[in-house]
Amino acid sequence: DTGVSQDPRHKITKRGQNVTFRCDPISEHNRLYWYRQTLGQGPEFLTYFQNEAQLEKSRLLSDRFSAERPKGSFSTLEIQRTEQGDSAMYLCASSLSLGTYEQYFGPGTRLTVT
Amino acid sequence: ILNVEQSPQSLHVQEGDSTNFTCSFPSSNFYALHWYRWETAKSPEALFVMTLNGDEKKKGRISATLNTKEGYSYLYIKGSQPEDSATYLCAFQGSQGNLIFGKGTKLSVKP
């Protein structure tokens, strides 16, 4: 399968716990994006990487959130001290860094904080 | 703050009906307009990327138009089928590359 994959697909955690999600992009794509979608909203941009460099972060990304892409391949998104408001679908996408940057999405990780 | 609006929020049609949705977006700093189709439990699927004013694109029974001067795009589905049921998202892309999405139009097609 050469698409974008995300793991896990579902995560249920208790408030205050830390969670980490993983995204594996399409192998030749050097850009990787994280989005968050809450009920009734479209996906909202969180951050993106070009290779291993994190180039932009949204104001939505509070200091409890951290993202890494250590070797310019897979990426992780960690949420520390989860809150109920963090419950959402977390989507990852990848693209080339040229042309219209057409983004290919993974299936998402559904996070539920109880 | 850049705002992307989609209408209607939801749409229920009978199989065989044709339908269309609207996406409005800022006309300044425009780079591209993306349409995605998102079925439950699947990845959002790219339908079209449009960059030029007056662009028209077609994929099977689905087509889209773009007006960058007035900041809108239409998505048309001809002869809707139950398998077209999904949420249709449009996204504005500025020069940075990240996408700003609308809330989507949820389409339900009844057999």
Side-chain angles (χ1 to χ4, degrees):
Chain A
D1 184 9
T2 56
V4 178
S5 61
Q6 291 187 246
D7 184 66
R9 294 289 304 272
H10 302 274
K11 179 72 179 178
I12 300 173
T13 192
K14 291 185 178 177
R15 191 174 55 186
Q17 298 293 305
N18 299 344
V19 293
T20 300
F21 312 139
R22 176 180 169 125
C23 171
D24 286 87
I26 292 171
S27 58
E28 62 267 28
H29 286 180
N30 52 3
R31 283 200 173 190
L32 186 149
Y33 306 80
W34 285 99
Y35 294 85
R36 179 177 74 183
Q37 193 224 12
T38 53
L39 199 61
Q41 303 295 317
E44 296 171 293
F45 169 75
L46 292 177
T47 188
Y48 89 91
F49 293 84
Q50 178 146 321
N51 301 312
E52 62 274 9
Q54 189 172 15
L55 295 188
E56 190 176 346
K57 289 192 231 182
S58 160
R59 59 179 174 77
L60 293 174
L61 213 66
S62 76
D63 56 7
R64 296 184 298 104
F65 287 70
S66 62
E68 293 184 341
R69 194 181 183 199
K71 295 182 180 177
S73 57
F74 73 91
S75 175
T76 57
L77 179 69
E78 182 183 14
I79 308 174
Q80 295 183 324
R81 305 181 304 281
T82 52
E83 301 173 358
Q84 286 188 317
D86 297 331
S87 295
M89 173 74 84
Y90 289 84
L91 290 163
C92 173
S94 69
S95 76
L96 297 170
S97 59
L98 50 85
T100 53
Y101 311 120
E102 186 170 350
Q103 295 183 23
Y104 295 82
F105 281 83
T109 295
R110 167 82 59 193
L111 173 67
T112 303
V113 182
T114 61
Chain B
I1 296 176
L2 297 174
N3 213 24
V4 177
E5 301 281 348
Q6 288 189 247
S7 63
Q9 268 191 316
S10 64
L11 198 53
H12 298 265
V13 301
Q14 288 294 134
E15 182 175 354
D17 288 349
S18 293
T19 186
N20 65 84
F21 323 133
T22 304
C23 172
S24 62
F25 53 86
S27 51
S28 60
N29 197 31
F30 175 86
Y31 192 82
L33 193 283
H34 299 245
W35 281 100
Y36 285 87
R37 179 173 176 275
W38 195 4
E39 285 183 76
T40 305
K42 293 188 178 179
S43 307
E45 174 198 354
L47 290 174
F48 304 112
V49 182
M50 295 188 287
T51 56
L52 299 176
N53 185 43
D55 248 357
E56 285 190 35
K57 295 213 171 177
K58 189 174 179 183
K59 185 187 283 191
R61 293 179 292 98
I62 305 177
S63 59
T65 61
L66 179 68
N67 183 322
T68 59
K69 292 185 179 177
E70 295 180 40
Y72 65 83
S73 174
Y74 295 134
L75 186 79
Y76 301 92
I77 303 179
K78 185 177 176 182
S80 304
Q81 300 295 308
E83 59 265 30
D84 296 329
S85 298
T87 296
Y88 291 82
L89 292 164
C90 77
F92 168 90
Q93 182 182 5
S95 55
Q96 292 279 18
N98 57 287
L99 301 179
I100 300 168
F101 283 87
K103 293 182 181 181
T105 293
K106 187 171 182 180
L107 174 67
S108 298
V109 183
K110 290 185 181 177

